[in-house]
Amino acid sequence: MRIDLSGQRALVTGGSNGIGRAAVEALRACGAEVFSADLEANPPVDVTNPESLQAAFERAGPVDVVVANAGGAVFAPLDETTVPDWEKLLALNLGGVFHTLRCAAAQMKPRRNGSIVITASTNSYDGEPGLSAYNATKAGILGLLHTAAGELGPYGIRVNAVCPGLIRTRLTEDQFQQPVHLKEYFRHIPLGRGGQPEEVAHAIAFLASPLASFITGATLLIDGGQMASKFGTWNEEKAEFVIDHWTMK
Ligand SMILES: NC(=O)c1ccc[n+]([C@@H]2O[C@H](COP(=O)([O-])OP(=O)(O)OC[C@H]3O[C@@H](n4cnc5c(N)ncnc54)[C@H](O)[C@@H]3O)[C@@H](O)[C@H]2O)c1
């Protein structure tokens, strides 16, 4: 059994870096023809701009798989989050997914077939301090997920979300440069470490594929067990933190 997407066309937003780029590579490895819609692609595509996104969907042609992944973050305490930053992040993380779902649905509904995967987050559930705007957008995405799954299921279109924990990309590189921070952060992660973009991309490829044919409206945590382990897993009695991960002594 393998993930087979041969003959399928896929569009990935935010496909030039990080999780999106890994998703592009994973879907290609499964045989799909993949288009990246990204501000840093050629031509650039802005998911906050419906016309720009619509043009990208037209260039890609009728798509079978769509990954709504483009996103960003604003790091600031609630009362220091500026109104422009709040509005910008809503437009990107929530508006971008909304516009992507609209374009995807318009192409997929007449064909009675399609699979959409959204990049949500563990922050869809958790109120991580300093990320009020981010957390609000990622929680909001679940509302879009559930509605889209309900409305599009009758047309043979599945909609699912991945919820990554801390994954090493340029978005999080600052955190990966702080061993003391990582040590505390990863104390609560049963697998004792952060994730790599490929580890999210593999789940995206699975959810996008016919192997997930009876899965829709679902969220898949890809977090090393973080959300299952509120009370902490690792301590110095039995384990040590080496460079960027916890390991048993
Ligand atoms: N890295 C993590 O720990 C983590 C955890 C959970 C969820 N996520 C989510 O994963 C997604 C990808 O993040 P990443 O960590 O790979 O970050 P990244 O910065 O490496 O990649 C984000 C990509 O989105 C593109 N992008 C930004 N604004 C855009 C716009 N307006 N239009 C089109 N493209 C745009 C960027 O050019 C970039 O290529 C985001 O939705 C993020 O919230 C990341």
Side-chain angles (χ1 to χ4, degrees), residues 12-22 36-41 44-49 52-53 68-73 91-93 96-97 118-123 134 137-138 141 162-173 175-176 185 195 197 200 222:
V12 179
T13 70
S16 296
N17 292 283
I19 293 169
R21 184 163 67 192
S36 169
D38 197 297
L39 270 184
E40 295 176 13
V45 179
D46 182 357
V47 296
T48 68
N49 177 333
S52 168
L53 200 54
N69 166 79
L92 173 58
N93 287 5
V97 172
I118 304 170
T119 308
S121 171
T122 46
N123 295 46
Y134 184 79
T137 62
K138 292 295 177 180
I141 279 176
V162 289
C163 295
L166 189 61
I167 309 296
R168 189 165 194 167
T169 67
R170 69 178 187 184
L171 191 67
T172 55
E173 190 52 36
Q175 296 187 62
F176 279 87
Y185 196 113
V200 182
I222 302 155

